[in-house]
Amino acid sequence: MQKLKIDQDIRSLSEVRNGMANFIKQVHDTKRPVIITQHGKGVAVLLGANEFEAMQEKIELLSDIQTSLNQLEKGAGISHKDAKEKLLKRITK
């Protein structure tokens, strides 16, 4: 996802409603989201499907990393040597 350009990517709900096809094209072409405002406050984000999917994958990976870190802090981890041995046993079967 590209960096947001405030002057181009923040639009009112009425603007988006009246030109939805143009905003969908903008999101697709620029790979940047459009922030939709209502009464001057951000209420929604229009985001390309590919960017949304990539964002979900990153969130899942970060969540897995956090889970792993929590397990390590609780002493539930195993040494690199033990992990390597277990993995090699699984692949050589």
Side-chain angles (χ1 to χ4, degrees), residues 9-38:
D9 300 333
I10 298 178
R11 299 293 180 194
S12 69
L13 178 59
S14 59
E15 282 181 280
V16 174
R17 190 179 322 126
N18 292 330
M20 181 58 82
N22 291 329
F23 287 105
I24 290 173
K25 183 177 181 341
Q26 175 184 331
V27 166
H28 179 266
D29 292 347
T30 65
K31 307 290 187 255
R32 294 189 321 259
V34 170
I35 308 299
I36 302 169
T37 64
Q38 187 174 31

Side-chain angles (χ1 to χ4, degrees), residues 1-2 5 10 14 16 27 37-38 42 60 65 74 79 88 92:
M1 182 171 19
Q2 298 293 320
K5 292 188 178 179
I10 298 178
S14 59
V16 174
V27 166
T37 64
Q38 187 174 31
E60 185 177 336
I65 290 170
K74 294 176 183 173
S79 72
L88 288 173
T92 55

Side-chain angles (χ1 to χ4, degrees), residues 47 51-67:
L47 184 65
E51 284 75 28
F52 178 76
E53 186 177 3
M55 197 169 65
Q56 291 296 102
E57 289 173 2
K58 288 175 187 175
I59 290 169
E60 185 177 336
L61 177 61
L62 290 171
S63 177
D64 289 346
I65 290 170
Q66 186 61 55
T67 298

